[in-house]
Amino acid sequence: MVEVESAPIDPAPPWVRCDRCVTLIYGKRFSRALQVCPDCGSHARLTAHQRLDQLLDPGSAQPLDHVDCVSDPLGFADTQPYPDRLLAARAATGLHEAVLCVRGTIEGRPVVVAAMDFRFLGGSLGCGVGAMITEAARTSLHSRLPLLLVTASGGARMQEGVLSLMQMAKTSQALAELDEAGILVLSLVTDPTFGGVAASFATLADVIIAEPGARLGFAGPRVIEQTIGESLPAGFQTAEFLLDHGLVDGVVPRAGLRATLAQLLSLHSGAADGPADGPADRPADRPADRPADRPADEAAAAPVEALVEAPEAPILRSAEQLPRTEAWTAVRLARHPERPTTLDYAAHLLDGFRELHGDRIAEDCPAVVGGPGRLNGRSVMLIGHQKGGDDLLERQRRKFGMPSPGGYRKTARLMRMAAKLGLPVVTLIDTPGANPGPDAERGGQAVAIAENLRLMARLPVPIVAVVTGEGGSGGALALAVADRVLICANGIYSVISPEGCAAILWKDAEAAPAAATALRVDARELLRLGIVDGVVPEPPGGAHTDHPQAALLLGRAVAAALTELEPWEPARLLSERRSRFHRFGLDSVPTAEGGAQ
């Protein structure tokens, strides 16, 4: 164990002004009320230390060991170098990271707690937070103690780029293992909880409770208002709104949290013998029909086998094989409206492709398409974003490839079907990101994304994901928790759009090209960082210049990846998949200059 991180001691002010009703409150009375306004009931934000002091039995907290992570993996600097921001946050909060993890008791019931602190860079999800949440889950798994997650976050940490996005997958994997081991997970949502935290571990708990007025969602209210050009209704995304829309289990005032959590913890028997590493993996039946050769369909595009003897490797696995490309050039090519869509690739590559529709609850989201087909005689389940091509009306109908919650639920339905039938899953990713509309938030977008991350983490069949164009944030990651993650040569993958990053950190949307460079969004940089396992070549000038050739190159790469994975039993698939995402943020990664860090 390590010593408790010390928090700066600030003397309690004699008077406090409520942020909501602007009433002046006597400081000691405010403290006795657990920092809840006695007039309007507004719950002020608590630090991680204050939260643990309020929830845990006195003297029971035992901090978990710190997990070392990469620091400044991108060499990121905007108006201030990222290391300077980290040092300032540590000095201001007394914390090493934006989460504090301990073992303790609540009314005598043992529990592992991970409490986030919004003061530390907005509670953003970076490699350090991902590592500590995963360590808390690992401690719960091996000690068979319930896990309590107390969330407060503005989203993923932009300064760590796609590595911060990977923490969503890593933490979701960790919670999936607790599910399988039968260990209770509780989530306490505090204000605010947005972005990558909302779309991963915050909403994957068995029971989700929220403090009054706490806001939770994937897209923040300002982003939504800018998208729809109008103000949101009062109370949108608050705990009460979430309860009305079936997204949380209850809203509990701060004074009642200890008793409520203790009651929930009593549900956990912890009766299983010994530490658990998860149940034995069920073998998945594999389709027996794997013909080595099949006749080419004369009416279809040329078969992938036509490229088997081509001198180029189907997958480029070294950054040195790729030319240096300006990041902003890659962004523009990835967004080209004439790039092939998922349905284009399906038409060129798959025999007998049958598109399936509907989430079996409420809708058929047109931004995601999928269904079974045969690639080189191998049955696969193809799922991908569908932007709509170069027709503006069709792109609008397809929501520009930004799925609704029903789109993620349709994806999950098709993946479960693939697991049932033993079919490999191939996902094609091309989306600006998650849907920023109010309907998506009402429909539980964050929950739908999080559940896909958890499902893919434990799917017992091979998964190959390819970023064919734009891989934007959680909307992309929801289809990318895979055994092999590839990217087309002119694709991009990012935690946030360059324009969004520039507006937030540079305070100038015109700085988008500089932000794209800093975020390292292009294929060469992503391969160098280890985010992707390989790069799929494109025709000269880009995939939009020659759809049939682009499809042949893509199909050749996917076939090669599936051939690697096919001999693996489910237990190995799950173990290797877990290791792939678990290492993000822990391993040394190349710096901007090419060395190791």
Side-chain angles (χ1 to χ4, degrees):
M1 294 294 179
V2 298
E3 294 184 1
V4 176
E5 297 165 289
S6 59
I9 300 175
D10 296 322
W15 293 92
V16 177
R17 185 186 299 275
C18 173
D19 289 337
R20 181 193 293 174
C21 69
V22 302
T23 298
L24 280 177
I25 311 163
Y26 184 48
K28 290 184 177 179
R29 182 188 182 195
F30 190 57
S31 296
R32 287 195 300 269
L34 303 176
Q35 299 197 29
V36 177
C37 176
D39 286 0
C40 71
S42 174
H43 284 52
R45 292 175 186 168
L46 298 181
T47 69
H49 284 283
Q50 289 170 333
R51 185 68 66 178
L52 295 176
D53 287 345
Q54 182 231 331
L55 293 177
L56 296 180
D57 297 335
S60 69
Q62 296 178 307
L64 304 189
D65 291 328
H66 177 69
V67 180
D68 289 328
C69 298
V70 296
S71 59
D72 192 20
L74 305 186
F76 193 98
D78 45 274
T79 57
Q80 183 181 4
Y82 178 45
D84 291 353
R85 291 188 185 274
L86 282 175
L87 289 174
R90 288 168 181 162
T93 64
L95 299 173
H96 187 77
E97 255 298 345
V99 66
L100 189 56
C101 300
V102 304
R103 291 177 61 158
T105 59
I106 298 176
E107 294 190 2
R109 294 175 173 86
V111 65
V112 178
V113 185
M116 300 189 73
D117 196 314
F118 192 78
R119 299 174 304 156
F120 196 107
L121 297 180
S124 51
L125 175 60
C127 295
V129 172
M132 288 308 299
I133 294 292
T134 303
E135 176 67 12
R138 187 195 69 83
T139 301
S140 288
L141 183 68
H142 288 283
S143 61
R144 300 203 62 82
L145 294 179
L147 175 64
L148 169 61
L149 303 162
V150 185
T151 61
S153 176
R157 192 168 298 174
M158 290 176 287
Q159 294 90 342
E160 295 183 12
V162 181
L163 282 168
S164 65
L165 195 66
M166 295 300 106
Q167 307 311 306
M168 294 171 60
K170 180 162 73 174
T171 54
S172 298
Q173 283 182 327
L175 265 63
E177 292 173 4
L178 295 184
D179 288 345
E180 294 178 353
I183 295 173
L184 179 68
V185 180
L186 306 176
S187 180
L188 170 56
V189 174
T190 75
D191 188 65
T193 299
F194 284 113
V197 170
S200 57
F201 57 89
T203 52
L204 288 179
D206 300 296
V207 180
I208 304 173
I209 60 176
E211 286 192 327
R215 294 167 296 163
L216 177 142
F218 189 75
R222 280 183 294 182
V223 172
I224 298 173
E225 288 180 338
Q226 290 170 359
T227 300
I228 64 177
E230 57 187 66
S231 298
L232 293 169
F236 187 77
Q237 293 182 312
T238 63
E240 296 74 16
F241 171 94
L242 299 169
L243 184 63
D244 288 343
H245 287 78
L247 301 175
V248 299
D249 294 289
V251 178
V252 181
R254 192 168 289 167
L257 284 175
R258 265 177 59 83
T260 299
L261 291 171
Q263 183 182 42
L264 292 169
L265 291 173
S266 69
L267 300 173
H268 186 82
S269 65
D273 295 328
D277 291 316
D281 297 299
R282 298 189 306 274
D285 295 330
R286 297 279 193 255
D289 53 334
R290 292 279 193 264
D293 300 296
R294 65 175 176 85
D297 184 348
E298 298 298 330
V304 174
E305 291 92 333
L307 287 184
V308 167
E309 298 181 359
E312 301 86 359
I315 302 173
L316 305 179
R317 301 184 186 273
S318 169
E320 302 309 314
Q321 296 176 273
L322 298 166
R324 294 184 181 273
T325 304
E326 288 291 332
W328 190 242
T329 299
V331 171
R332 295 174 64 185
L333 283 171
R335 293 173 175 173
H336 198 290
E338 295 179 8
R339 287 182 74 84
T341 67
T342 295
L343 290 179
D344 290 332
Y345 283 121
H348 284 289
L349 290 177
L350 299 186
D351 286 335
F353 173 71
R354 181 75 178 186
E355 184 179 355
L356 303 179
H357 296 270
D359 67 352
R360 295 297 188 269
I361 296 176
E363 64 171 317
D364 179 40
C365 174
V368 173
V369 297
R374 298 177 72 82
L375 174 67
N376 289 5
R378 174 193 284 118
S379 296
V380 300
M381 181 68 75
L382 177 70
I383 305 168
H385 298 101
Q386 182 71 14
K387 275 187 174 178
D390 59 353
D391 184 293
L392 178 59
L393 292 178
E394 179 66 4
R395 289 169 75 85
Q396 290 172 335
R397 187 180 79 82
R398 297 282 184 179
K399 304 177 185 177
F400 298 92
M402 295 184 289
S404 67
Y408 301 116
R409 289 192 290 264
K410 176 166 67 173
T411 296
R413 183 176 74 83
L414 297 182
M415 288 183 182
R416 291 189 187 99
M417 176 181 170
K420 178 178 178 178
L421 301 177
L423 304 181
V425 173
V426 177
T427 65
L428 303 185
I429 296 158
D430 187 13
T431 179
N435 195 312
D439 288 342
E441 295 297 315
R442 291 189 188 96
Q445 174 168 245
V447 178
I449 292 173
E451 289 182 344
N452 268 23
L453 303 184
R454 177 170 59 185
L455 172 65
M456 295 186 78
R458 306 301 293 170
L459 206 70
V461 294
I463 308 174
V464 176
V466 187
V467 181
T468 60
E470 194 172 9
S473 188
L477 185 65
L479 273 67
V481 182
D483 303 295
R484 292 289 183 268
V485 179
L486 310 177
I487 189 170
C488 290
N490 292 311
I492 61 171
Y493 198 3
S494 180
V495 66
I496 188 174
S497 71
E499 294 88 345
C501 181
I504 294 170
L505 296 183
W506 275 263
K507 311 300 181 186
D508 179 9
E510 297 300 318
T517 300
L519 288 167
R520 308 195 184 282
V521 300
D522 60 280
R524 189 178 193 276
E525 286 296 304
L526 293 165
L527 182 59
R528 190 178 59 81
L529 288 167
I531 299 297
V532 299
D533 302 297
V535 176
V536 181
E538 293 189 23
H544 60 283
T545 65
D546 190 337
H547 285 201
Q549 181 73 0
L552 290 174
L553 292 168
L554 177 73
R556 187 166 171 246
V558 170
L562 288 175
T563 298
E564 292 176 9
L565 297 170
E566 266 189 331
W568 293 11
E569 292 298 316
R572 182 180 178 187
L573 285 170
L574 299 183
S575 175
E576 296 281 350
R577 196 180 302 154
R578 180 190 183 280
S579 296
R580 182 188 191 282
F581 287 90
H582 183 77
R583 68 180 169 81
F584 287 124
L586 300 180
D587 291 352
S588 59
V589 297
T591 63
E593 289 73 32
Q597 181 171 293

